[in-house]
Amino acid sequence: TLALEVFSEMVCTSVARNTITFNAVVGACEKGGAWTLALHILQEMANDSVDRDTIVFSAAVSACEKGGAWEHALQLLIDMADSSVPKDTITFNAAISACEKGEMWEPALLLLGEMAAERVERNTITCNAAVSACQKGWAWDFALQLLSEMAVDRVGTDTITFNAAVSACAKGGAWPWALQLVSGMADDCVERDTDTLQIVAGACEKGVQYLWTAQLLSQIAIESSS
């Protein structure tokens, strides 16, 4: 990979091994999802007494997220705390996304709490990843709680947010909440798509709500043909 080639070049030549060059290599690891190499390079930085900053740690966390290594992503946050390196929104977003991919909704919510404690700003990306984690973990009640918190904190919602929350409710058999969420999308001026209606129709079907199911399927057909 490009990251490995760059790192090998650093080892074989007299290229300065400083924060800037190491950050560039870890950034290449992040783009390629080479999380094991990213972790190795972070250790090399520590061995060489090179300062590790928020940027390099965030890139490594993102590499772990892309590689499906959520445990290592969380360990990096612990390492940051131990090294007194501040975490930012980008760091947390990558870590929460790693938890979402690993279907680990509880650690994702704990990270949201950590963001609040450290006064790190949440954004739509942060919350969408957390809501999606709840959806994958069948935690529909926590998904709804996150939506409420987003409204209180004035964090913008989008179609991805609502689709994940509606899907969470569908999985949990909470079809009335799924319907309410779809209605709330109009109130929040959030555009619904065919996926939204298909998800809530499935929720109503599971709940033996055939009238609602028929109406939603009819609406899907109308919107698909328009």
Side-chain angles (χ1 to χ4, degrees):
T1 64
L2 176 61
L4 183 57
E5 291 176 6
V6 173
F7 183 66
S8 298
E9 187 70 17
M10 285 177 60
V11 173
C12 298
T13 65
S14 58
V15 174
R17 293 162 67 88
N18 55 34
T19 302
I20 295 174
T21 52
F22 274 115
N23 282 8
V25 178
V26 176
C29 292
E30 183 268 330
K31 288 180 174 61
W35 64 272
T36 53
L37 181 56
L39 297 182
H40 176 71
I41 293 169
L42 278 180
Q43 187 57 52
E44 286 283 317
M45 293 179 74
N47 295 342
D48 291 356
S49 299
V50 177
D51 288 337
R52 300 181 294 178
D53 58 15
T54 304
I55 295 173
V56 73
F57 269 108
S58 295
V61 172
S62 184
C64 291
E65 178 262 325
K66 290 184 177 179
W70 65 270
E71 303 100 325
H72 292 279
L74 296 185
Q75 181 58 51
L76 285 173
L77 266 62
I78 295 173
D79 294 344
M80 291 178 76
D82 292 341
S83 302
S84 299
V85 177
K87 299 179 283 289
D88 61 13
T89 303
I90 294 173
T91 317
F92 278 107
N93 283 1
I96 292 172
S97 292
C99 292
E100 180 264 327
K101 286 187 176 180
E103 302 185 10
M104 302 299 296
W105 64 273
E106 290 174 307
L109 296 187
L110 289 175
L111 289 176
L112 281 180
E114 191 175 330
M115 290 181 77
E118 297 183 15
R119 297 185 178 180
V120 178
E121 183 179 2
R122 305 178 183 183
N123 58 23
T124 304
I125 295 173
T126 318
C127 295
N128 281 359
V131 173
S132 183
C134 291
Q135 179 263 326
K136 291 183 178 180
W138 298 72
W140 64 271
D141 48 345
F142 286 98
L144 294 180
Q145 182 179 327
L146 282 174
L147 278 181
S148 298
E149 291 177 6
M150 291 176 75
V152 172
D153 296 340
R154 296 184 178 180
V155 177
T157 55
D158 58 17
T159 307
I160 295 173
T161 319
F162 276 96
N163 281 1
V166 171
S167 182
C169 292
K171 277 189 171 183
W175 65 267
W177 282 106
L179 288 172
Q180 187 170 327
L181 286 174
V182 174
S183 299
M185 293 178 75
D187 297 336
D188 289 358
C189 299
V190 176
E191 183 180 359
R192 69 186 186 189
D193 58 16
T194 304
D195 287 343
T196 315
L197 295 175
Q198 288 177 338
I199 294 167
V200 73
C204 290
E205 184 178 14
K206 287 181 181 178
V208 199
Q209 301 298 315
Y210 298 123
L211 179 60
W212 277 111
T213 303
Q215 290 178 349
L216 288 164
L217 289 175
S218 176
Q219 187 64 34
I220 291 170
I222 293 171
E223 295 189 6
S224 297
S225 61
S226 61

